[in-house]
Amino acid sequence: MNQAERIFRIHRELKSGKRVTFQRLREALEVLSATLKRDIAYMRDFMDAPILNERDGSGYWYDPAALEFELPGLWFNDSELYALLASEQLLEAVQPGLLTPYIGPLRGRIRKLLEQSGHSADIVTSRVRLQAAARRPVDAEHFGAVAGAVLNGRIIDIEYHGREKGHTTRRRVHPQRLLHYRDNWYLIAWCEQAQDLRTFSLDRIRPLTTHAEAARTLPDSDIDRLVGATFGIFSGTATAWAVLRFSPHAARWVADEHWHPEQIGQWNNGYYELQVPYSDPRELLMDILKYGPDVEVLAPESLRETVAGRLREAVARYS
């Protein structure tokens, strides 16, 4: 039984509200007296546990006059563990530059939190992994320049080589937010050329000049609508709803997946129908096509025809 397990047992015994003898605790934990005393001291000194005891140390209980005590982050649920691991691993992979002086101390604090699970941080991070997929590297100098403009609220001139059109444009942008999505970094910025908010992939940005002039600041609600209104990274106001019907086999997975905050899902004769809003179908197409024959687009007709066309092209490659 490691220290985390022992502390959990001690806490459970003391939560009963009754005085618990030292001997009972020692027998329940099957440890030496010295080990039990160290665990109790640890709970008092580092967790602020309101433990009272008899003068001779024969009995222990929680102070009834104190606020109800709970173990402070000793055991993590899935979202808490994910948040810590994601933070630790993001800091491990983050590009150097503006954040470099802060990363070391921050990683140290995160690792201490991970160690409260009763295991060393190295064991936790080596045995519980967040696997990145299709990550595109970003030039360290460029990341630092863009991050600095975002945090300092400064206008920047950039060169942007968009993959869709395949050519480079020069733009003056007002940075609003850095977004880490599906293992890649994006800049949300007001573009003077487009006179609107735009999303730029950081690996395609080359910062040219950072201006002393303060960037235009947009309300968070406007940015949230841009990045959250529709499916995927291709943002904007939703123009249509995709209605997808998954086979009983694929439904075992899809029914438990979160595609969009406003999605609608329902079962229909063993099939699972999922509805999601979208504006640009490109990313949605990729997620639909990966299910092959296990999904059918019911609506809109334009999306159904596009998917059918892509599938015919794929079959033609193998004919």
Side-chain angles (χ1 to χ4, degrees):
M1 192 181 296
N2 62 35
Q3 187 186 42
E5 293 170 315
R6 295 196 305 270
I7 289 175
F8 176 80
R9 294 285 294 274
I10 295 170
H11 176 66
R12 188 172 64 183
E13 292 284 348
L14 298 182
K15 283 279 286 185
S16 67
K18 300 176 181 178
R19 300 193 180 197
V20 183
T21 66
F22 185 89
Q23 185 63 22
R24 176 178 169 180
L25 287 174
R26 195 181 69 79
E27 291 175 354
L29 273 60
E30 299 180 337
V31 294
L32 298 174
S33 297
T35 301
L36 177 55
K37 289 178 180 178
R38 283 196 299 269
D39 289 342
I40 291 173
Y42 183 91
M43 292 177 70
R44 280 172 166 162
D45 297 339
F46 296 97
M47 297 181 175
D48 295 325
I51 300 176
L52 301 178
N53 61 272
E54 303 286 2
R55 285 179 175 271
D56 60 359
S58 60
Y60 294 83
W61 65 96
Y62 279 148
D63 184 357
L67 294 175
E68 184 174 355
F69 174 74
E70 292 295 340
L71 294 173
L74 190 63
W75 288 271
F76 308 114
N77 61 32
D78 61 340
S79 60
E80 292 167 338
L81 180 59
Y82 177 85
L84 287 172
L85 289 172
S87 299
E88 203 272 345
Q89 293 180 28
L90 269 176
L91 291 172
E92 176 71 27
V94 76
Q95 287 75 12
L98 180 76
L99 302 177
T100 300
Y102 310 101
I103 287 176
L106 190 54
R107 285 192 65 206
R109 294 182 66 179
I110 290 172
R111 291 175 70 83
K112 285 183 179 179
L113 284 172
L114 287 171
E115 286 174 351
Q116 287 186 5
S117 66
H119 307 280
S120 74
D122 288 337
I123 288 178
V124 176
T125 56
S126 66
R127 297 187 183 181
V128 184
R129 302 291 297 175
L130 304 182
Q131 185 65 50
R135 184 174 68 88
R136 300 186 296 269
V138 179
D139 181 87
E141 184 178 346
H142 293 176
F143 181 90
V146 173
V150 171
L151 296 176
N152 295 321
R154 294 291 180 264
I155 295 172
I156 52 173
D157 293 332
I158 64 171
E159 280 187 356
Y160 188 69
H161 187 271
R163 289 184 175 87
E164 182 69 19
K165 296 181 179 178
H167 63 259
T168 301
T169 59
R170 290 186 174 226
R171 300 166 181 258
R172 177 163 293 183
V173 299
H174 299 239
Q176 305 293 315
R177 186 178 295 177
L178 274 179
L179 174 66
H180 193 261
Y181 175 76
R182 290 195 174 187
D183 296 318
N184 288 290
W185 288 101
Y186 297 88
L187 170 68
I188 311 298
W190 172 269
C191 175
E192 291 190 1
Q193 181 176 319
Q195 286 294 294
D196 204 353
L197 278 169
R198 288 291 184 266
T199 302
F200 302 96
S201 181
L202 241 67
D203 64 300
R204 311 300 285 181
I205 289 179
R206 180 187 172 195
L208 299 176
T209 307
T210 300
H211 297 274
E213 182 183 354
R216 174 181 179 178
T217 301
L218 276 71
D220 286 341
S221 57
D222 289 356
I223 303 170
D224 291 338
R225 279 196 297 270
L226 175 83
V227 300
T230 63
F231 179 88
I233 193 63
F234 297 108
S235 48
T237 303
T239 57
W241 280 75
V243 183
L244 314 174
R245 181 168 61 193
F246 292 88
S247 71
H249 175 74
R252 300 173 193 170
W253 288 269
V254 179
D256 294 326
E257 292 177 353
H258 182 80
W259 287 42
H260 188 271
E262 297 181 10
Q263 70 183 42
I264 301 171
Q266 61 182 3
W267 290 92
N268 188 357
N269 295 324
Y271 291 80
Y272 185 73
E273 292 184 4
L274 177 67
Q275 299 180 42
V276 291
Y278 72 96
S279 58
D280 187 312
R282 283 175 286 175
E283 187 177 351
L284 182 58
L285 277 172
M286 291 187 288
D287 279 343
I288 292 171
L289 290 169
K290 74 182 183 182
Y291 284 98
D294 284 313
V295 63
E296 179 185 0
V297 178
L298 302 182
E301 188 62 29
S302 58
L303 181 62
R304 181 182 174 91
E305 292 176 357
T306 301
V307 171
R310 296 296 298 272
L311 289 172
R312 285 193 291 269
E313 291 173 8
V315 170
R317 294 278 185 184
Y318 294 90
S319 61

